[in-house]
Structure formats: structure tokens, C-alpha cells
Amino acid sequence: MTAPQSQTLDRGLRILEHLAATGSPRPVMEIATAVGLHRSIAYRLLRTLEDRGFVERDDAGRFGLGLTVSVLARGVRTSLQSAATTRLTPVAERFGCTAFLVVRAGDDAVTLTSVEPRDVPSHVTRRPGTRHPVGHGAPGLALLMPEPPDDGDRPELVTARATGWAVSEGEVIPGVRSVSAPVHGPDGGARAAVAVVHTGIPHDVSDVGAALVAAAAAIAADAP
């Protein structure tokens, strides 16, 4: 891996990525260990990020993402986010699952926006900024679906290309299932992927997959 141009900035960004992935406030020592920093260095970085609103502290002194992150996120691929929110809201309500949009960032699949169902006693939360390796989980597989087939492709990816949507279980979070379909760009590649995540099977997977394929096509048309 190439050394970062700015080590301090790289460390701060790694802290933000870790907090986004965990989805809840964490103590300083846990954050420092997760990103491979001494506690004192991690604390100084967290205090700087706190001063700028990128992180916040709860009553127990744990650090989590701050409002500044949300403000910045609203400016990222706004047309794609707007189209996704419009098209995924009925999907989330129909199936009672959190629906979300994922984009590729290097070797990671990163959640850009999510829609949670209303009036559902419990559901899996998917926070914007959450990431996992491309190729793992249904959203990661969906991002790879438009790529040319390869002899080394996973069987799940081969199946996904045949059905039009990807399915996974427990690959990213134990016990959690996901279904996903790619949002195609003008060049035919994967501009993004739409997905739902759940802990049970509330509906036939083919119904969920077909709904996501339709939503993906609508998003591609709404945000060319």
C-alpha cells in the first residue's frame, strides 16, 4: 500500500471510517486499538474532529459521528441520493426492511443513503458511511455483476448474473440477509447498487429481487 501524503489526515479519516462502520459511539481506547494508534494520539485527533463537528461525545464520554458528516454527505452525488430515496421508500415500506443505496469506493462498498420502514417493530439499521469489501454481501456482489465473467468468480456472483439480483446471508453481519441489484450507468457498468437488509424472509426473495431491479432501473432513469 502506498504511504499516505498526509499521515495525520489519513489517521483522522481512518477514525471517521471506523465510527461509520461501527454505527454507534465508542470509547477512545477501542477506537485507538481499531485504527492502530496510541490512545493519546487517537484522543488528540478525536478532539480536533470534535471541535469541527465531525464527531460528538455522549454522556459516557464515547465518541460517535457528528452532524458535520451528515451536512457534507448531503452534497455527495445529490441527484443519485434524491432518486434513490424516492424509489427506495416504497420498497422499504412494502417489505418492512431497511432499503439502501451503495456505491463503490476502491475495494469497498459504501452505503450512501438509506431508507428505514415506518411502523415496523424492529428492523436492521444501515447507516450512511458503512462499508464492507466489494464481493462480500449482496450489495458488493451487485456492484460486480455488470463486469465481464471470470473463471474465478464466486458461484454466488454467477447466480446473481443469471437472476438479475444478488443474495447473501451472514457475510457482512452474522444472521443478517440482504438482496441487491445494480444501478447501471450509461456505459453499462455499475454506477451503484440498491439493496434491502433483514433478519428474516418476510417475502419471497424473487419478489424482493424483482422490486429492486425495477427500483434500480428507475433510479438510473431519474439520475442520468
Side-chain angles (χ1 to χ4, degrees):
M1 180 181 294
T2 304
Q5 297 295 317
S6 170
Q7 186 180 60
T8 300
L9 179 58
D10 180 72
R11 288 170 169 175
L13 293 174
R14 283 192 284 128
I15 287 174
L16 293 176
E17 289 174 349
H18 173 67
L19 292 176
T22 57
S24 60
R26 293 291 190 252
V28 176
M29 194 64 230
E30 179 182 320
I31 296 170
T33 300
V35 298
L37 296 176
H38 189 277
R39 184 187 184 283
S40 62
I41 295 175
Y43 182 73
R44 287 199 300 271
L45 290 169
L46 284 163
R47 285 300 309 274
T48 300
L49 292 168
E50 183 183 23
D51 289 342
R52 301 300 298 270
F54 286 95
V55 301
E56 297 174 346
R57 264 187 286 186
D58 64 12
D59 294 339
R62 298 169 300 186
F63 288 90
L65 291 181
L67 292 176
T68 299
V69 174
S70 298
V71 173
L72 292 180
R74 286 198 290 269
V76 178
R77 307 189 193 186
T78 52
S79 63
L80 189 61
Q81 287 195 66
S82 177
T85 299
T86 299
R87 299 297 182 173
L88 290 179
T89 296
V91 175
E93 295 300 330
R94 175 182 173 186
F95 298 109
C97 303
T98 296
F100 55 101
L101 179 80
V102 172
V103 294
R104 184 168 184 172
D107 293 329
D108 288 339
V110 182
T111 299
L112 189 59
T113 191
S114 64
V115 178
E116 297 184 12
R118 298 172 297 177
D119 303 323
V120 175
S122 63
H123 57 272
V124 180
T125 299
R126 186 75 178 185
R127 296 179 181 276
T130 302
R131 62 175 60 211
H132 65 268
V134 168
H136 288 77
L141 291 172
L143 290 171
L144 298 177
M145 284 170 58
E147 296 187 357
D150 184 86
D151 291 339
D153 288 338
R154 295 177 54 194
E156 293 85 353
L157 179 55
V158 175
T159 299
R161 290 192 176 113
T163 60
W165 58 81
V167 179
S168 72
E169 179 175 354
E171 288 192 355
V172 177
I173 304 174
V176 172
R177 302 179 178 93
S178 59
V179 184
S180 183
V183 177
H184 294 279
D187 62 353
R191 184 180 181 190
V194 289
V196 297
V197 61
H198 54 89
T199 55
I201 306 178
H203 295 272
D204 187 276
V205 171
S206 62
D207 289 341
V208 180
L212 287 172
V213 170
I219 292 169
D222 292 344

